Amino acid sequence: MRSEVVAELCGLERFASAGKGRGLRALRRFAVGELLFSCPAYTAVLTASERGSHCDGCFARKEGLSKCGRCKQAFYCNVECQKEDWPMHKLECSAMCAFGQNWNPSETVRLTARILAKQKTHPERTQSEKLLAVKEFESHLDKLDNEKRELIQNDIAALHHFYSKHLEYPDNAALVVLFAQVNCNGFTIEDEELSHLGSAIFPDVALMNHSCCPNVIVTYKGTLAEVRAVKEIEPGEEVFTSYIDLLYPTEDRNNRLRDSYFFDCDCEECVTKEKDKDKLEICKLNDPPSAETVRDMIKYARNVIEEFRRAKHYKSPSELLEICELSLDKMGAVFENSNVYMLHMMYQAMGVCLYVQDWEGALRYGQKIIRPYSKHYPPYSLNVASMWLKLGRLYMALENRPAGVKALKKAIAIMEVAHGKDHPYISEIKTELEDH
């Protein structure tokens, strides 16, 4: 059994973090933009909607991918990628053929199936587990309520239904633990515009604890996770990432952390609540709204955010846009445009406009969002970079080259720190600048 302090890895060590359990600590200084470490995926799964535009094996985005000759639903860069992915794809290939349109396990189920297969074929520690092994993941089993336990049982049923041919299953209790571990320790891989590409397990990345004032950021190069400093990190300092979207006020962030990760954050931002006033900015009126009116509107905002999240699964784009516009009108009587609940619904409206290719509408929302985003998010935020990137591409599409160039350069400036100067996304954006 390893001791709590594990051998040094490139100027980093695992240690017992007071009040947080395991953590990652710097043994030397890291400058802003410096790569602390990279971690290949223990296993990963490409989301179904990206099939054909990204390689199922390495997640590279390119045209002319070759499809699997059998199921015709998995796509690869070349024979090498296909061969490397076969131990995982074979779990699904024949099932895809057999089930046809009815083959629809969730991404969590697909990822868990791959973990089971990987543990069978690679029982030894992998290159993704230098400081933390998958088997050591926290499950927080004792904190699961009945609803979460029921969801896990549904996932277990789907696992048996879709994967019975190629998997050897542990008993139900062990599967409950594994799904709980995946729910707490899985990662979402996103592209440069923060569109969802897939899910993965990065054990060494999962060692890092959360802070709403993170000193590192995690980005992806295909199925490789890279961790870079976004603040100066001194020897002896703990390395913190953020598990959640940092746009929202303290109460909302901690509600999300409690629901998904079973803890409250005690970082400086959560203790001081320094940014909450700006994030919840109220209209400057001669007769300002009462505290009760503000409380009621915050409650309404939280409810409409949840309503919209559910509505995305079954309502049309025009109906979704109507929800956004009506809620923005209502909230706008109390909240400033820079209020994070206004920004949330503007962002959703922008997404609908992009989906229906209403470039002018998307641009109008984006222009309102970008300045408050830059104020509310920490430096080198991927949310701010992706917004500048979307704006830049919209300006270019609408033939406003000067504004497009300016916005794309702002995106690049953030991404060079967060992604590293040699990242393919940055090369692609620079090519877009040259082509226009």
Side-chain angles (χ1 to χ4, degrees), residues 69-224:
R70 188 172 181 191
C71 69
K72 305 204 168 29
Q73 291 189 59
F75 293 78
Y76 297 98
C77 297
N78 49 43
V79 173
E80 287 73 27
C81 275
Q82 187 169 4
K83 279 183 179 174
E84 197 169 324
D85 191 50
W86 176 244
M88 295 297 132
H89 179 55
K90 76 177 180 184
L91 301 172
E92 301 181 342
C93 188
S94 58
M96 283 176 171
C97 297
F99 282 95
Q101 293 299 309
N102 295 318
W103 190 84
N104 59 356
S106 71
E107 220 159 280
T108 301
V109 170
R110 295 178 65 203
L111 192 62
T112 306
R114 290 174 180 227
I115 294 170
L116 288 168
K118 179 95 172 197
Q119 288 176 337
K120 178 80 173 166
T121 57
H122 290 81
E124 71 282 0
R125 208 164 180 129
T126 67
Q127 283 299 301
S128 310
E129 303 170 281
K130 290 177 179 174
L131 294 183
L132 184 69
V134 170
K135 290 181 187 299
E136 294 180 278
F137 280 174
E138 287 282 357
S139 67
H140 297 291
L141 207 58
D142 58 323
K143 302 185 184 99
L144 298 181
D145 58 24
N146 288 337
E147 184 184 356
K148 285 188 169 65
R149 287 180 180 275
E150 190 176 329
L151 289 171
I152 286 176
Q153 288 301 336
N154 292 341
D155 282 340
I156 291 171
L159 185 72
H160 283 286
H161 181 63
F162 291 111
Y163 290 89
S164 56
K165 188 175 177 185
H166 289 291
L167 279 179
E168 291 178 25
Y169 300 101
D171 61 25
N172 191 76
L175 284 174
V176 171
V177 171
L178 182 56
F179 272 104
Q181 288 173 321
V182 171
N183 289 337
C184 282
N185 295 279
F187 287 82
T188 294
I189 296 180
E190 295 168 325
D191 70 9
E192 77 278 28
E193 290 193 2
L194 300 188
S195 295
H196 180 77
L197 294 183
S199 299
I201 299 294
F202 296 104
D204 287 340
V205 183
L207 178 61
M208 292 187 290
N209 286 313
H210 165 86
S211 171
C212 301
C213 315
N215 52 15
V216 299
I217 202 159
V218 182
T219 56
Y220 304 98
K221 195 179 279 179
T223 58
L224 182 76

Side-chain angles (χ1 to χ4, degrees), residues 17-23 209-210 238 240 264-267:
S17 177
K20 299 180 189 296
R22 300 177 291 241
N209 286 313
H210 165 86
E238 182 163 2
F240 288 109
D264 285 287
C265 182
D266 61 358
C267 73

Side-chain angles (χ1 to χ4, degrees), residues 101-396:
Q101 293 299 309
N102 295 318
W103 190 84
N104 59 356
S106 71
E107 220 159 280
T108 301
V109 170
R110 295 178 65 203
L111 192 62
T112 306
R114 290 174 180 227
I115 294 170
L116 288 168
K118 179 95 172 197
Q119 288 176 337
K120 178 80 173 166
T121 57
H122 290 81
E124 71 282 0
R125 208 164 180 129
T126 67
Q127 283 299 301
S128 310
E129 303 170 281
K130 290 177 179 174
L131 294 183
L132 184 69
V134 170
K135 290 181 187 299
E136 294 180 278
F137 280 174
E138 287 282 357
S139 67
H140 297 291
L141 207 58
D142 58 323
K143 302 185 184 99
L144 298 181
D145 58 24
N146 288 337
E147 184 184 356
K148 285 188 169 65
R149 287 180 180 275
E150 190 176 329
L151 289 171
I152 286 176
Q153 288 301 336
N154 292 341
D155 282 340
I156 291 171
L159 185 72
H160 283 286
H161 181 63
F162 291 111
Y163 290 89
S164 56
K165 188 175 177 185
H166 289 291
L167 279 179
E168 291 178 25
Y169 300 101
D171 61 25
N172 191 76
L175 284 174
V176 171
V177 171
L178 182 56
F179 272 104
Q181 288 173 321
V182 171
N183 289 337
C184 282
N185 295 279
F187 287 82
T188 294
I189 296 180
E190 295 168 325
D191 70 9
E192 77 278 28
E193 290 193 2
L194 300 188
S195 295
H196 180 77
L197 294 183
S199 299
I201 299 294
F202 296 104
D204 287 340
V205 183
L207 178 61
M208 292 187 290
N209 286 313
H210 165 86
S211 171
C212 301
C213 315
N215 52 15
V216 299
I217 202 159
V218 182
T219 56
Y220 304 98
K221 195 179 279 179
T223 58
L224 182 76
E226 296 186 323
V227 178
R228 284 185 174 78
V230 290
K231 293 180 181 177
E232 300 283 336
I233 302 174
E234 297 299 330
E237 277 187 35
E238 182 163 2
V239 177
F240 288 109
T241 187
S242 173
Y243 295 177
I244 56 169
D245 189 333
L246 295 175
L247 179 65
Y248 304 94
T250 305
E251 186 180 346
D252 295 39
R253 294 197 309 274
N254 277 285
N255 285 340
R256 171 73 202 283
L257 289 168
R258 270 193 303 276
D259 183 59
S260 298
Y261 303 102
F262 310 100
F263 70 87
D264 285 287
C265 182
D266 61 358
C267 73
E268 185 182 351
E269 180 57 41
C270 287
V271 171
T272 64
K273 303 184 180 180
E274 195 174 39
K275 291 186 175 180
D276 282 7
K277 189 180 177 193
D278 284 342
K279 288 184 175 188
L280 296 171
E281 194 167 359
I282 309 304
C283 289
K284 294 169 181 64
L285 304 169
N286 291 332
D287 183 17
S290 68
E292 185 182 6
T293 301
V294 172
R295 274 198 306 274
D296 286 346
M297 193 56 76
I298 289 172
K299 186 177 178 182
Y300 166 79
R302 289 170 175 162
N303 287 337
V304 82
I305 285 169
E306 180 56 27
E307 177 198 341
F308 186 89
R309 188 186 67 78
R310 288 195 301 267
K312 281 202 285 192
H313 299 293
Y314 62 90
K315 286 192 185 280
S316 68
S318 60
E319 290 172 317
L320 292 173
L321 202 54
E322 187 178 14
I323 293 173
C324 295
E325 289 166 349
L326 289 173
S327 64
L328 285 167
D329 278 348
K330 182 168 180 173
M331 291 190 293
V334 175
F335 297 155
E336 285 286 354
N337 274 349
S338 60
N339 183 295
V340 296
Y341 298 123
M342 295 285 284
L343 294 172
H344 180 100
M345 295 313 294
M346 286 181 204
Y347 183 81
Q348 300 304 325
M350 183 183 183
V352 176
C353 290
L354 289 170
Y355 180 77
V356 299
Q357 299 187 2
D358 173 9
W359 308 137
E360 288 91 350
L363 184 62
R364 279 196 301 275
Y365 282 115
Q367 287 168 328
K368 291 178 183 176
I369 291 168
I370 187 60
R371 296 298 171 191
Y373 258 32
S374 302
K375 181 180 179 183
H376 295 324
Y377 278 110
Y380 311 112
S381 162
L382 297 180
N383 300 78
V384 178
S386 72
M387 186 54 63
W388 279 122
L389 184 53
K390 287 173 183 173
L391 283 172
R393 287 171 170 169
L394 284 167
Y395 282 127
M396 291 298 199

